[in-house]
Amino acid sequence: MEKYQSKGTVHGIPVKLGMKESEPFPQTAIYTPSTKDEAGQNDENIHPDEAARIVGEKYAKRLEDVALKLYTTARAYALERGVIIADTKFEFSLDTETDEVVLVDEVLTPDSSRFWPASTYKVGQSQESFEAIPSRLVDG
C-alpha cells in the first residue's frame, strides 16, 4: 500500500490513482511476480519485466497467463459462495525438458491467500478475514 500511495504503482506497475483500501483493481486482476531473496528465505517483489529477464519471455508470459487464469477462476468460484479471494500466491517451477510450467506447493490456502467474507466487505476499510487455524496431529 505504501508504494501505491507514494508512486501509484504495485510492483512497479501503474494502477488507477485514488483507489481506496480494499478496492478491486479496474482490470480485474494484476500479475505481481516475486522471487526469493539472496538467502532464499523471503519473497522479493519484482516487476513482470524482471520476471521475464529471469525466466525468459516465453515462460514469463505463460506464468502470467496461468497465474491470472487460476486466480480469476478461483475468485469467481469463491465469490459465488460468499467469499472474496483478495489475493493469493502461486509457486511455479519450470520443466525445460518437457517445456512445462508446473504448479507446486500449496494453492489457495489461508497461508497463501487472503479470504474475506463477501457479506461484510466494504471498500475503504480493512476487511474481516478468514484466518488459518493452526492444528497439530500428535501420535500418542
Side-chain angles (χ1 to χ4, degrees):
M1 189 74 173
E2 295 168 15
K3 290 256 173 132
Y4 169 72
Q5 290 174 335
S6 67
K7 298 184 178 191
T9 63
V10 174
H11 286 239
I13 303 163
V15 294
K16 174 185 153 190
L17 294 175
M19 292 182 71
K20 296 180 175 129
E21 182 174 351
S22 304
E23 182 177 351
F25 292 111
Q27 65 271 42
T28 308
I30 60 173
Y31 170 65
T32 55
S34 64
T35 189
K36 291 292 183 190
D37 65 11
E38 290 286 326
Q41 299 298 312
N42 299 304
D43 291 339
E44 181 179 307
N45 298 334
I46 59 175
H47 188 276
D49 291 346
E50 178 66 7
R53 188 189 68 69
I54 293 169
V55 299
E57 190 63 42
K58 173 177 104 173
Y59 288 118
K61 180 65 176 144
R62 285 172 53 192
L63 288 165
E64 179 175 0
D65 291 347
V66 169
L68 288 172
K69 180 67 173 172
L70 284 168
Y71 172 72
T72 56
T73 300
R75 186 188 61 204
Y77 179 86
L79 192 55
E80 290 173 0
R81 289 151 181 84
V83 176
I84 295 169
I85 302 175
D87 58 20
T88 194
K89 174 178 83 170
F90 299 116
E91 294 188 22
F92 295 97
S93 180
L94 301 176
D95 185 336
T96 54
E97 286 184 25
T98 62
D99 199 35
E100 292 181 316
V101 170
V102 181
L103 181 61
V104 298
D105 207 18
E106 62 189 38
V107 176
L108 296 163
T109 69
D111 288 337
S112 65
S113 310
R114 288 188 299 157
F115 298 105
W116 300 337
S119 61
T120 60
Y121 171 74
K122 186 174 179 185
V123 170
Q125 65 185 34
S126 295
Q127 305 302 314
E128 179 182 343
S129 184
F130 296 115
E131 300 294 331
I133 301 171
S135 63
R136 179 175 293 136
L137 297 175
V138 179
D139 187 12

